[in-house]
Amino acid sequence: MSTEPRTLDGPLLSAEELHKSFGPTPALDGASFSIRRGEVVAIMGPSGSGKSTLLHCLAGIVPPDSGTITYAGRNLTALTDAHRSALRRSEFGFVFQFGQLVPELSCVENVALPLRLAGTRRKEAHRVAKEWLERLEVSDVGHKRPGEVSGGQGQRVAVARSLVTTPKVVFADEPTGALDSYNGERVMQLLTDAARETHAAVVLVTHEARVAAYSDREVVVRDGQVRDMAGVG
Ligand code: ADP
């Protein structure tokens, strides 16, 4: 299997006919999905329909039982674990529902962490991290630990961390699920503005139409399968 990028015109990331079961429960049952460079796609659907499992498979975190995932022309499923982890660190960013910041580190250290893991020197990593905190309107909490900031501030820090390496794809799993509507909307605005500016694609899992409204396109997952919004009555 070639590991060379094939084309810049096709989808940046795609999944074909993914199947994934946890014990007897099928979480994905022939799910297909694709996203282009710079596109923001909302994955919607009821709880338990397979949205998070699809996101985890697309990000190379959970291996599907069958099916293919292609990223920039490379077969993600065929890569070694080490190669997949390296790819995740350099090309992907992540935002989860509850921030998942490292509690022992300050906010600026949290944002700098992906750069530090990629080998950037501390001073430079902190400089870039501070720029991102400013952009996410939380430069004032840089020195604080995650336990000392509000939910909305923490989630902005998490968004800054997801973008600090200027990834090609940001995976956001219910990024506003723990926020009130004002902070939720603001976080979505900041995330999608920054993603559009840096040409990052965003795979956004949400069950809220208000949040999905920030996307370019919506798909719905039902019973482990993906349907285009246009085809859902
Ligand atoms: P959603 O994100 O739409 O709520 P999930 O992808 O989390 O759905 O879950 C789809 C199905 O797979 C559910 O029935 C869920 O209970 C099951 N599932 C997901 N992850 C696991 C896991 N790690 N172990 C066991 N079952 C799981």
Side-chain angles (χ1 to χ4, degrees), residues 177-198:
L179 303 180
D180 60 51
S181 60
Y182 169 76
N183 276 298
E185 301 243 348
R186 195 73 196 122
V187 161
M188 280 313 301
Q189 190 70 59
L190 291 164
L191 169 62
T192 50
D193 282 355
R196 288 194 170 104
E197 235 170 88
T198 58

Side-chain angles (χ1 to χ4, degrees), residues 20-23 25-28 44-54 56 173-174 205 221:
K20 178 72 189 178
S21 291
F22 297 99
T25 320
L28 295 179
M44 303 192 67
S47 180
S49 58
K51 302 184 295 297
S52 294
T53 305
L54 176 61
H56 292 148
D173 195 350
E174 300 280 7
V205 163
V221 178

